[in-house]
Amino acid sequence: MSDKPVSLITPPDGYNDWLAELKQRIHASQQRATFAVNRELIQLYWQIGRDILERQAEQGWGAKVIERLAFDLRAAFPEMKGFSPRNLKYMRAFAEAWPEPAFVQEVLAQLPWYHQLALLEKLSDPESRCWYAYEAIQHGWSRNVLVMQIETRLLERQGAAVTNFEASLPKPQSDLARESLKDPYRFDFLGLSAESQERDVEEALVRHVTEFLLELGAGFAFVGRQVLLDVGGEEFFLDLLFYHLKLRCYVVIELKTGKFKPEHLGQLGFYLTAVDRQVKTDLDAPTIGLLLCKSKNKVVAEYALSDKSQPMGIAEYKLLESLPTELQTGLPSIERIEQTLAEVKNGPEM
């Protein structure tokens, strides 16, 4: 028998690959178990809420019955959380907001309970709730990210940039490209004043690239800042270069701290040509340009784009001073955004 510690014993050939495979299986099994527990919890809460609604409507039970129900359920299941009067009222509101059991089982059961509460508390329109629910599922948003997207009005901003994609890109890429851009972009996390210069904004965005990528949306990957391009022996620098994984193309972002001017598109078009010829491969789609400016005249922007054959978009960006006061103080920090919440096990105690 070897006296070596177990950690120092050399494993046989193929062991490391097998161990990696086992880890993946275990992780996947844990995810399925968590998902199954969450699905059961969401359906249980919806059924309790539906029962409360029906009995109050049919038998005239008042609000006091919820307090009595909370007392009895906690007495019967002391090890379980989530049966406070407040949470029972949320269950009733949940069932009232989503009357279709099939939608609850097939869609909403994919989201933890705290996500459901955010949708109920932050939104009153059923269509908006549906949109944010689908987006949260598709992109794997945490509860804090979901709240931030709602409070910064992502739905209203999504696909709102002025672009020429319909004329310059084939479908369905043109539709996907349009939906990938917003207007305006919120850079409140930079803590910069409205008088900040282009280089200040650019440097701050790179320092806070995690938040910047979150604001850009799903699919964007950071390539570099002040990317050097040599054209005819002269040096040119791109403000910011990204790659969009869904569009399969490079995205050049240029910053302008003033109002949009048509001549800005000439510089952006030059950069797109340079990237297409020097960086893009045959497997990549045509490079897209996004001009971010402090303000723009929409009609002027539409006119300026109308004769451009390269895919471009124009959008505004807002710094801290441009945000409403309630959003300046209400948005979560990146630490809160990145924190993983244990929102499923045993349910919440409200």
Side-chain angles (χ1 to χ4, degrees):
M1 179 179 294
S2 174
D3 294 330
K4 288 184 179 180
V6 173
S7 60
L8 298 180
I9 296 176
T10 302
D13 292 342
Y15 176 84
N16 290 332
D17 291 340
W18 177 56
L19 178 61
E21 182 182 345
L22 285 180
K23 289 179 179 179
Q24 290 179 348
R25 285 188 205 167
I26 294 170
H27 181 63
S29 178
Q30 290 174 328
Q31 287 184 318
R32 288 194 298 270
T34 300
F35 181 77
V37 171
N38 182 73
R39 177 180 291 276
E40 290 297 322
L41 181 71
I42 297 303
Q43 292 185 28
L44 173 64
Y45 282 2
W46 182 84
Q47 290 165 357
I48 293 175
R50 180 198 57 186
D51 289 351
I52 294 174
L53 282 173
E54 290 178 352
R55 280 160 175 75
Q56 286 185 327
E58 297 172 1
Q59 302 179 30
W61 291 356
K64 287 293 184 181
V65 73
I66 291 181
E67 294 183 12
R68 176 55 190 267
L69 180 62
F71 175 82
D72 289 336
L73 287 178
R74 287 194 286 192
F77 304 98
E79 76 284 356
M80 290 187 66
K81 297 180 180 180
F83 290 142
S84 67
R86 184 183 180 191
N87 208 37
L88 290 175
K89 291 176 183 177
Y90 275 129
M91 295 177 202
R92 180 182 61 185
F94 180 53
E96 188 174 26
W98 308 105
E100 295 296 329
F103 185 77
V104 174
Q105 296 170 7
E106 297 169 9
V107 179
L108 294 181
Q110 300 179 59
L111 293 173
W113 181 238
Y114 278 115
H115 285 62
Q116 316 291 352
L117 300 188
L119 294 172
L120 289 174
E121 293 176 338
K122 299 292 183 180
L123 300 164
S124 58
D125 175 41
E127 292 185 0
S128 297
R129 284 176 179 159
C130 285
W131 189 87
Y132 281 103
Y134 278 117
E135 290 293 304
I137 293 169
Q138 180 181 356
H139 303 303
W141 290 343
S142 71
R143 190 262 183 189
N144 283 331
V145 171
L146 171 61
V147 169
M148 187 197 69
Q149 301 290 23
I150 294 173
E151 290 183 342
T152 58
R153 300 178 178 89
L154 175 63
L155 176 57
E156 290 84 353
R157 296 187 292 131
Q158 195 84 21
V162 179
T163 73
N164 65 349
F165 294 158
E166 187 174 350
S168 59
L169 293 173
K171 284 187 175 295
Q173 188 184 30
S174 59
D175 293 334
L176 180 57
R178 179 176 55 81
E179 288 300 315
S180 297
L181 302 187
K182 307 172 186 174
D183 189 24
Y185 285 85
R186 302 289 192 186
F187 294 162
D188 58 284
F189 53 84
L190 300 183
L192 299 177
S193 69
E195 291 74 30
S196 300
Q197 299 301 306
E198 291 169 19
R199 188 56 60 88
D200 297 328
V201 177
E202 179 187 318
E203 290 177 350
L205 287 175
V206 174
R207 287 199 306 270
H208 299 274
V209 69
T210 301
E211 299 97 318
F212 186 27
L213 287 170
L214 180 62
E215 173 60 11
L216 286 178
F220 282 89
F222 181 62
V223 176
R225 169 197 171 217
Q226 288 297 307
V227 177
L228 171 64
L229 293 175
D230 185 307
V231 179
E234 295 187 33
E235 293 184 344
F236 298 89
F237 296 88
L238 309 181
D239 283 350
L240 296 161
L241 183 63
F242 291 82
Y243 191 86
H244 199 283
L245 302 177
K246 292 183 178 180
L247 293 169
R248 298 293 179 185
C249 70
Y250 287 96
V251 180
V252 175
I253 296 181
E254 284 295 301
L255 295 169
K256 300 296 178 184
T257 54
K259 186 176 182 180
F260 167 73
K261 296 180 181 179
E263 52 263 35
H264 293 158
L265 295 184
Q267 180 187 35
L268 182 58
F270 173 79
Y271 290 156
L272 296 187
T273 299
V275 172
D276 278 340
R277 294 186 181 182
Q278 297 187 15
V279 183
K280 170 184 173 296
T281 71
D282 293 339
L283 299 177
D284 299 320
T287 304
I288 289 174
L290 172 59
L291 185 71
L292 290 177
C293 50
K294 286 296 296 298
S295 64
K296 70 178 184 304
N297 181 307
K298 185 176 180 181
V299 176
V300 172
E302 291 173 345
Y303 272 47
L305 284 172
S306 62
D307 64 345
K308 298 293 185 292
S309 59
Q310 295 167 297
M312 300 179 185
I314 305 167
E316 297 178 2
Y317 66 89
K318 304 295 183 184
L319 296 171
L320 182 63
E321 293 184 353
S322 301
L323 277 175
T325 303
E326 62 270 18
L327 293 189
Q328 293 180 21
T329 58
L331 289 177
S333 66
I334 189 60
E335 288 79 13
R336 287 179 58 199
I337 290 174
E338 292 177 337
Q339 182 182 4
T340 302
L341 300 177
E343 300 169 347
V344 176
K345 185 177 181 182
N346 294 326
E349 177 63 50
M350 308 298 291

